[in-house]
Amino acid sequence: MRHRRVQTMQITGSSLFVKALQKEQVDVLFAYPGGQAIHLFDALYGARDIQVILPRHEQGLIHAADGYARATGKVGVCLVTSGPGATNLVTGIATAGYDSVPLVCFTGQVPTSLLGDKAFQEVDIVSMTKRICKWSVCVKRREELAAVIQKAFHIAKAGKPGVVVVDLPKDIQQALGSDRYPAYAEIQKANTTASPRQVETALEKLYTAKKPLFLLGGGVNIARANLEMERLTEKIRVPVVTTIMGKGAIPTDHPLYIGNIGIHGSFAANTAISNCDVLFSIGTRFNDRITGKAGTFAKHTAIIHADIAPSAISRNVMVDIAIAADAKDVICALLDRAKPLHTEKWRKQIASWEQCHPLDAQLESAQVIPQNIIRAINRLFDEAIIVADVGQNQLWTTQFLAINKHKRLFTSGGFGTMGYGLPAAIGAKLGCPDKTVIAICGDGGMQMNIQELATAVVYELPVIICIMNNGYLGNVRQWQEIFFGRRYASTCLRWRKSCPPACQAPHGSCPGYTPDFIKLAESYGAAGIRVDRAEDIQPALCAAKAWQKGPIVIEFIIPCEENVYPIVAPGKPLGAMIL
């Protein structure tokens, strides 16, 4: 039998790049041009079905791709030039990598003949990024281009999602070669299914518990196993705590949900972790912000740990039973086999801890306090994507935000990247244009990528940007207040050269704040509202909800020394909470 020969055309590497994106169903590309990527941009000019988004900085660009990927479940795709274009992606690569966000980042590069010669804007981005991404590769032969791009998309999505970097030298972009893009990748797929034996062993241990507890991490949200997890929780009657990244794994108003754990976890959640006898953890790495002092976390507890990455199991906390599998596979397997446990006495004990030290105490204040801002968002927005930046704003949001199947929260959890909020919200809005998208930022983090206001304006994106302005780098200032005798070193954002050299606290004669966020927003073409009275919180958010002409900035003037509680001091166990 004769095999029919497939006819191929000769096209440039740049044209094949565009064809590859189309074959991978890339509809949005976040891209910033430059000399070593100019042929790729020329090939994209007029390309069908690919919307090229031009942010105002490469770091904003990759955070936008990150937000797009989290919102849509698709791979976020970036394109930048060599040198500073590539290195400006590094923080975003680490941010997405720590939070298991699938991205493919294409970087232009000098011709292969100049590699290693320190040519203009040459940088070895492959070596720079190989420790913070799943795979990084420089394409040095035109005939390998299609296979490399296809493999990049496969690796970004497969198993535990993550970031892939593909470096494209200029001569590879220009070189002629086959136009063939493989119909499918012949790549070995990892097995992410939980073994029945592991599941049965875990359930047997769980059935011996008198005080069982689920600890859910970001892996549950990444696997989109929220509905299955809620059903499992209700079937087996085991209370739930979450990491910051796991919040929303079950609805936050569910009667079996206790709250977040960690150095800013609720009293009830941290106390439950310290007193449970069997802890079933799904999709978390047990990092230090979760565990507190090493060696004290759930010290007298039998720990079951399910995670898609075998290397994450027993890396930070030694566990008794390991399940290396996808979170959704594990949860579904448990759901098929689990039976109800008698946890009434344990749940009453947890309820007493919640009543003793409630996180969400009803605070009446004439000032604009963060809890009331978040409560107003909870009341007014039934469906939304909320993107939190990093700092106190993130902690208040993760403490008080109500999340259910209609509301989702994105934030930089593993890497803690200030400046993430605004561009990630833009990416989320581009990915889900029919969803309300709210960015919650501090005044410090907002200024790290504030140039992306221009991106929101030019693409006419009605993103609501809430700035909690306390005039400080608030998270560090809080530590300085509690642990360093109120020595506010380099955290006051109203500081001037003429200020006293050792200013200990804010007072009435402090200089005004720079910049004026409202005037700055208006200069970009966005709308702006300033709120400095508690009664104006809800009207401002209502006005923002109604505004659909483009982005709107609400600056909330919050107390300078407002703190996040509880807090666990560095090097202390979770039980040593400052309330």
Side-chain angles (χ1 to χ4, degrees), residues 273-276 279 291 295-303 317 574:
I273 278 281
S274 301
N275 287 273
C276 66
L279 178 64
T291 63
T296 65
F297 179 80
K299 191 173 182 180
H300 304 293
T301 301
I303 300 177
V317 171
L574 293 185

Side-chain angles (χ1 to χ4, degrees), residues 173-251:
Q173 300 170 34
Q174 296 172 283
L176 291 172
S178 170
D179 69 341
R180 185 174 177 272
Y181 192 75
Y184 63 93
E186 296 178 359
I187 301 171
Q188 185 72 32
K189 291 187 177 181
N191 181 18
T192 61
T193 305
S195 79
R197 178 66 179 271
Q198 288 176 319
V199 172
E200 287 298 336
T201 302
L203 282 172
E204 286 170 9
K205 175 60 72 174
L206 199 59
Y207 294 149
T208 68
K210 294 182 179 179
K211 297 182 288 184
L213 193 65
F214 276 123
L215 168 59
L216 307 179
V220 177
N221 290 328
I222 291 168
R224 284 170 161 71
N226 310 70
L227 179 60
E228 291 82 2
M229 189 66 228
E230 184 179 2
R231 289 168 56 201
L232 174 62
T233 303
E234 292 171 350
K235 182 177 181 180
I236 204 167
R237 299 174 190 165
V238 171
V240 170
V241 297
T242 56
T243 66
I244 282 178
M245 297 303 292
K247 185 162 184 176
I250 69 170

